[in-house]
């Protein structure tokens, strides 16, 4: 999908800033590595669903709208909880019949940067296309699309909101369509961006923003522990799929769609590490309860099998190194206000 970066065209150009060498005399020069993590200052929006304030506001209303579930008992926020970093705290997402799905609810933080292939196993094509699944799935919101359009159309406030958000006239005259519901939801979700964390202040030149342990943890992350091989860039993900040796149940992840591929068997999407310390449990199956357990898994090298990524191997970290790695991960959390987290980066409409 073609993408445009709204706002400054130079948004993603990294600029090096000096300064922390002063506060960290005797430590390695990390200028080049840190520059790889500089925050962008604009949110990317696709050309076929550009940003508009009214559309985003409509999407916000729909995200929290219970009438979009057949029984009126669920919204997107039932599982993607704003105050819990847009995920929930359960290992597996709750079905509407008291049971559980086979995967955990992923966070929606920085979803605008994970545009093309979404879902733990990559089952979704583009952010607009995702909503249809939770909305219609019988075990989730269980809403037939026609019924959804009918319910919204019965509310004059929604008719007006859709007409304002999508000014182009439609055949038949009803401004509410399933496609527009999906576009509005996606526009709102692209505004869900993690706020500035202590790590970002370090990247901007203030070495005192993080502890010495965290700075050593960063060196491990980038060096001996090899985490940056997959958790790369400011959002700490390569947007790709790997077997890190975690899944032991029947879920083969991305391998479902590529049965002939060894590398994609048990491969799941690399999650962002933004705010990660605050949103346990971890992994696609919620199988690890703490960051300490995550670090132990990587230290062991996970399950050794043909599909396991070549970037995963036993690390043999010392106890101090494990603690340093966790100290580093903790510096990736923002101040934690759900409201602030939705709009820390200015989205401006594209120039005509
Ligand atoms: C029952 C809890 C639940 C509800 C309600 C729910 N989701 Fe999700 N959401 C999930 C789970 C679980 C996944 C992962 C699915 C997968 O990968 O197979 C997911 C995945 C996603 C993703 C992809 C994230 C990524 O990183 O790839 C997006 C976007 C999303 N949901 C948006 C929504 C929207 C919009 C709604 C409301 C229309 C919604 N969700 C309702 C549980 C839920
Ligand atoms: C080969 C690529 C790769 C490497 C190297 C890697 N990771 Fe991961 N990481 C992933 C994938 C893929 C997942 C999701 C796996 C799953 O859900 O089954 C993940 C999950 C995580 C999670 C859980 C996040 C969440 O929201 O559930 C944390 C924390 C994490 N990794 C930290 C690290 C650290 C620390 C290192 C270095 C010791 C590291 N990773 C090395 C690919 C990688």
């Amino acid at each position: 999908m073609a993408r445009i970066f709204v706002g400054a065209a130079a948004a993603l150009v990294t600029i090096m800033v000096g300064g922390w060498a002063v506060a960290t005399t005797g430590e390695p020069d990390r200028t080049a590595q840190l520059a790889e993590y500089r925050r962008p200052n604009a949110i990317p929006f696709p050309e076929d669903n550009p940003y508009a304030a009214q559309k985003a506001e409509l999407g916000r209303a729909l995200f929290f709208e219970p009438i979009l579930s057949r029984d009126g008992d669920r919204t997107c926020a039932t599982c993607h909880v704003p105050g819990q970093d847009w995920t929930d705290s359960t290992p597996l997402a709750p079905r509407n019949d008291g049971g559980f799905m086979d995967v955990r609810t992923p966070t929606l933080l920085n979803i605008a940067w994970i545009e093309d292939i979404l879902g733990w196993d990559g089952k979704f094509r583009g952010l607009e296309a995702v909503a249809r699944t939770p909305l219609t799935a019988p075990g989730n919101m269980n809403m037939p699309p026609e019924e959804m359009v009918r319910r919204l159309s019965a509310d004059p406030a929604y008719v007006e909101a859709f007409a304002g958000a999508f000014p182009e006239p439609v055949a038949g005259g009803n401004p509410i369509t399933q496609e527009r519901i999906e576009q509005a939801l996606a526009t709102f979700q692209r505004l869900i961006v993690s706020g500035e964390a202590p790590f970002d202040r370090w990247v901007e030149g203030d070495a005192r923003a993080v502890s010495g342990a965290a700075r050593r943890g960063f060196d491990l992350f980038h060096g001996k522990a090899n985490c940056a091989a997959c958790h790369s860039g400011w959002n700490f993900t390569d947007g790709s799929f790997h077997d890190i040796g975690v899944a032991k149940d029947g879920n083969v992840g991305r391998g479902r769609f590529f049965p002939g591929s060894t590398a994609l068997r048990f491969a799941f999407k690399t999650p962002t590490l933004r705010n990660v310390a605050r949103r346990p449990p971890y992994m696609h199956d919620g199988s690890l309860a703490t960051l300490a357990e995550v670090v132990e898994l990587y230290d062991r090298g996970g399950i050794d099998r043909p599909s396991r990524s070549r970037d995963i191997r036993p690390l043999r970290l010392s106890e101090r190194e494990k603690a340093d790695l966790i100290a580093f991960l903790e510096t990736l959390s923002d101040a934690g206000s759900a409201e602030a987290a939705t709009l820390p980066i200015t989205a401006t409409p594209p120039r005509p």
Side-chain angles (χ1 to χ4, degrees):
M1 188 188 300
R3 275 199 265 168
I4 41 167
F5 287 86
V6 171
L12 294 183
V13 175
T14 49
I15 307 153
M16 309 244 188
V17 177
W20 53 79
V22 181
T24 57
T25 314
E27 294 193 17
D29 179 7
R30 305 173 175 107
T31 313
Q33 288 95 318
L34 285 170
E36 291 170 27
Y37 297 89
R38 182 174 300 278
R39 293 172 65 85
N41 56 18
I43 302 174
F45 285 85
E47 272 163 23
D48 54 7
N49 188 20
Y51 175 81
Q54 278 174 293
K55 191 163 38 168
E57 272 316 305
L58 171 60
R60 183 195 298 271
L62 294 171
F63 194 88
F64 296 98
E65 179 54 83
I67 68 169
L68 295 190
S69 63
R70 177 177 271 188
D71 296 334
D73 57 350
R74 293 189 160 217
T75 71
C76 306
T78 302
C79 302
H80 303 284
V81 188
Q84 293 180 29
D85 288 298
W86 307 86
T87 171
D88 55 20
S89 48
T90 57
L92 298 173
R95 291 172 52 91
N96 58 12
D97 59 5
F100 294 93
M101 299 177 184
D102 62 355
V103 283
R104 183 170 67 84
T105 306
T107 177
L108 297 182
L109 283 171
N110 309 328
I111 200 77
W113 285 267
I114 311 175
E115 192 68 56
D116 301 330
I117 306 181
L118 298 99
W120 287 109
D121 59 7
K123 66 163 71 63
F124 305 118
R125 281 284 142 161
L127 186 54
E128 279 74 7
V130 175
R132 189 169 302 205
T133 297
L135 284 167
T136 59
N140 202 350
M141 296 166 81
N142 194 19
M143 173 60 81
E146 319 73 55
E147 167 73 358
M148 181 168 68
V149 171
R150 199 191 57 73
R151 284 191 190 180
L152 291 172
S153 306
D155 183 339
Y158 269 120
V159 176
E160 198 183 317
F162 274 85
F166 299 95
E168 316 78 42
V170 274
N174 184 356
I176 304 182
T177 66
Q178 183 184 3
E179 191 190 8
R180 288 174 167 189
I181 293 168
E182 293 166 356
Q183 289 182 332
L185 279 168
T187 303
F188 167 64
Q189 291 174 86
R190 289 193 176 95
L191 299 183
I192 301 173
V193 180
S194 58
E196 195 189 69
F199 175 69
D200 298 305
R201 291 194 279 284
W202 183 24
V203 170
E204 293 303 324
D206 176 9
R208 269 173 279 227
V210 307
S211 67
R215 294 198 296 269
R216 290 192 303 271
F218 174 76
D219 294 338
L220 289 162
F221 190 87
H222 235 275
K224 180 179 171 186
N226 199 31
C227 316
C230 304
H231 296 283
S232 51
W234 85 280
N235 196 27
F236 292 89
T237 171
D238 56 2
S240 192
F241 299 81
H242 311 273
D243 173 17
I244 59 164
V246 85
K248 45 183 182 295
D249 55 18
N251 191 345
V252 295
R254 193 98 182 104
R256 212 177 114 195
F257 305 106
F258 300 90
S261 161
T262 303
L264 291 176
R265 200 168 161 76
F266 304 114
F268 293 88
K269 195 187 61 187
T270 310
T272 175
L273 297 182
R274 288 284 173 175
N275 294 0
V276 71
R278 220 167 45 210
R279 46 181 179 80
Y282 302 108
M283 305 301 167
H284 73 280
D285 56 359
S287 57
L288 302 180
T290 62
L291 283 182
E293 287 180 27
V294 172
V295 170
E296 288 300 332
L297 174 100
Y298 283 114
D299 192 50
R300 284 196 308 275
I303 302 169
D304 188 359
R305 55 191 170 197
S307 55
R308 190 182 66 180
S309 165
R310 289 199 195 101
D311 281 313
I312 301 289
R313 57 184 170 265
L315 297 171
R316 297 180 225 296
L317 300 173
S318 69
E319 289 311 307
R320 183 175 111 151
E321 286 173 326
K322 291 177 191 172
D324 288 348
L325 210 41
I326 292 171
F328 166 66
L329 294 173
E330 286 169 345
T331 68
L332 303 180
S333 294
D334 63 23
S337 147
E339 231 1 83
T342 60
L343 280 169
I345 292 183
T346 317
T348 44
R351 280 179 222 108

